[in-house]
Amino acid sequence: MSVDGRSEPLFVRSQSSRDGPKRSTIGRVPSGFEVSGATMQMLYDTRTVHPLDRYDYYQAASGTEPAPVAVDGRAPGRLLAVMSTARIGDLELEHVTWSADAQLVTRRTRRFIQARDPECYRVFLSADGVMIGEQEGRPVPLRAGDMALFDLSSPCDCTHGTEPTRMRAVMLSIPRSQVPVPRAAVRPLTSTHVPRALPGRSLLAQFLLGLDPTLPAPDPALEDVLRESVTGLIRVWLGLPSGISPRTRQTLWIAHLGNLIRRRLGDPGLDVEQLARAANLSPRSVHLLFRGSGLTPMRLVKQLRLNECHRSLLDPATAGTPIKDLIAAHGYLRPDQFARDFRQQFGVSASQVRARPTR
């Protein structure tokens, strides 16, 4: 079943490489689940400085963002501003959390554009709170669940209010050169709401909102999927053919389910029924989403558990944690079963991984 309620055939996503032929995801963990040390990088966090210094810190830090901005407004007495970023191939992913007791405006001025122009479109997805974006003289209020498109090569303002709810948002930037639609055609869409009824829009939103900035960043193999998703939305929005393919829908659905699984890895009783409830799907639909992928839902659960155990074994912060406690925290209750699964997955024992020198 597609995110839009229509039944569609599901296929295996083949990932393209700039330097080689396409590689199928059949028989391996789908995009976003490779073992790697990459995590979301904290760009700034006002909680790390004294409250009296937070506004000056935020003003300086905002100039280091992938698309730098200036901050205008009276210094607030209370300010929270946190941004994490990650690269996914040529795409940029940003998580931001913000709240203050005074209205502030972030401005992407021509001076900042000349200084650093990524030549990207940005998909802005609001998780909580309220913000007003404005570009080309079009203000667009963004509340929980709203999505909008901006052109980072044109001036734009974002007004942050003083609502008690923290503003949380996810931003995904994609180079304009990778969107095969004339810029003039896209221009009228900027600073407007991406219609909720667009096919694939809610699936992309679910995936982005499900990302946890404290967990490893999405694998670069997801670059093609996210690029096609954004490009497909723009094309469908303009009434053009070639939206989001069934293959990309499948990969994005499995990646979204992976996000849900990661949040529940510590539950040894996690099963398909629980996963289906978390995804607002039937158990049968969950099984159908994996058809032809070479995986089953529970095999994905096992592989994600093993990947997280592997990551924790290499983490200096957990070097003193007994292995049996570490694996239990990721849902493994039987050390003997873990030992067999881990060696089958990685070809070495957990003790051998932990003994490796860390850089």
Side-chain angles (χ1 to χ4, degrees):
M1 179 179 291
S2 77
V3 70
D4 306 295
R6 294 190 294 271
S7 176
E8 293 181 336
L10 296 173
F11 302 95
V12 174
R13 173 70 178 172
S14 294
Q15 301 295 344
S16 62
S17 169
R18 289 186 176 84
D19 302 315
K22 290 187 176 181
R23 59 190 188 279
S24 173
T25 60
I26 292 179
R28 69 179 184 89
V29 184
S31 306
F33 307 120
E34 298 294 338
V35 175
S36 68
T39 57
M40 294 287 291
Q41 299 296 314
M42 185 67 68
L43 188 62
Y44 57 77
D45 184 346
T46 57
R47 294 171 298 185
T48 64
V49 300
H50 190 279
L52 295 179
D53 297 327
R54 287 177 180 174
Y55 186 51
D56 291 340
Y57 168 84
Y58 176 47
Q59 285 185 309
S62 63
T64 68
E65 294 182 15
V69 295
V71 180
D72 290 340
R74 177 175 59 86
R78 174 183 55 79
L79 172 64
L80 172 69
V82 182
M83 177 176 280
S84 300
T85 67
R87 295 291 300 182
I88 308 174
D90 290 335
L91 312 187
E92 187 83 36
L93 181 69
E94 300 161 70
H95 284 250
V96 61
T97 301
W98 194 96
S99 68
D101 56 4
Q103 187 178 86
L104 297 179
V105 180
T106 57
R107 304 185 188 280
R108 181 138 174 83
T109 64
R110 294 194 182 279
R111 179 173 68 86
F112 277 104
I113 293 170
Q114 291 172 354
R116 192 185 307 170
D117 183 1
E119 298 185 351
C120 289
Y121 291 121
R122 169 179 283 171
V123 174
F124 184 102
L125 176 61
S126 177
D128 291 299
V130 180
M131 188 203 78
I132 299 176
E134 182 172 351
Q135 190 166 51
E136 302 283 351
R138 293 186 293 271
V140 54
L142 293 160
R143 299 177 175 83
D146 287 340
M147 181 186 290
L149 184 70
F150 296 94
D151 186 339
L152 296 180
S153 297
S154 296
C156 60
D157 294 347
C158 295
T159 303
H160 303 271
T162 58
E163 289 76 13
T165 303
R166 291 180 178 180
M167 188 275 287
R168 294 190 305 112
V170 185
M171 298 177 286
L172 179 65
S173 299
I174 174 173
R176 287 201 313 269
S177 61
Q178 297 181 14
V179 179
V181 180
R183 188 180 179 189
V186 178
R187 185 174 179 179
L189 306 182
T190 58
S191 197
T192 62
H193 289 120
V194 178
R196 292 179 181 251
L198 281 185
R201 186 266 193 203
S202 60
L203 176 55
L204 178 61
Q206 283 185 101
F207 170 74
L208 292 176
L209 292 177
L211 292 171
D212 186 338
T214 67
L215 293 176
D219 190 84
L222 266 179
E223 179 185 8
D224 290 346
V225 174
L226 293 173
R227 180 192 300 110
E228 182 184 317
S229 297
V230 174
T231 299
L233 284 179
I234 291 173
R235 293 185 64 85
V236 172
W237 198 355
L238 290 169
L240 301 173
S242 301
I244 303 175
S245 71
R247 298 181 189 180
T248 291
R249 287 178 185 274
Q250 181 192 33
T251 304
L252 203 52
W253 261 115
I254 294 177
H256 172 57
L257 292 172
N259 289 337
L260 297 176
I261 291 169
R262 281 179 169 180
R263 294 174 181 270
R264 296 163 174 80
L265 282 183
D267 179 4
L270 178 62
D271 57 18
V272 175
E273 287 70 23
Q274 291 184 39
L275 183 58
R277 284 196 297 271
N280 293 316
L281 296 171
S282 69
R284 181 176 182 274
S285 294
V286 171
H287 282 292
L288 287 174
L289 285 169
F290 285 80
R291 186 174 60 192
S293 70
L295 279 174
T296 65
M298 293 312 296
R299 182 181 170 195
L300 178 58
V301 171
K302 183 175 78 171
Q303 293 191 357
L304 286 176
R305 281 196 169 120
L306 292 171
N307 287 354
E308 289 304 303
C309 289
H310 187 282
R311 186 171 70 92
S312 296
L313 288 166
L314 294 174
D315 186 351
T318 59
T321 304
I323 291 178
K324 64 181 180 62
D325 295 338
L326 187 151
I327 66 174
H330 294 306
Y332 261 103
L333 298 183
R334 292 179 50 194
D336 58 332
Q337 183 65 56
F338 166 77
R340 288 193 295 271
D341 292 345
F342 193 88
R343 184 174 288 277
Q344 182 180 20
Q345 176 85 354
F346 300 108
V348 293
S349 70
S351 298
Q352 289 173 306
V353 170
R354 171 162 275 183
R356 291 173 181 172
T358 56
R359 296 180 179 179

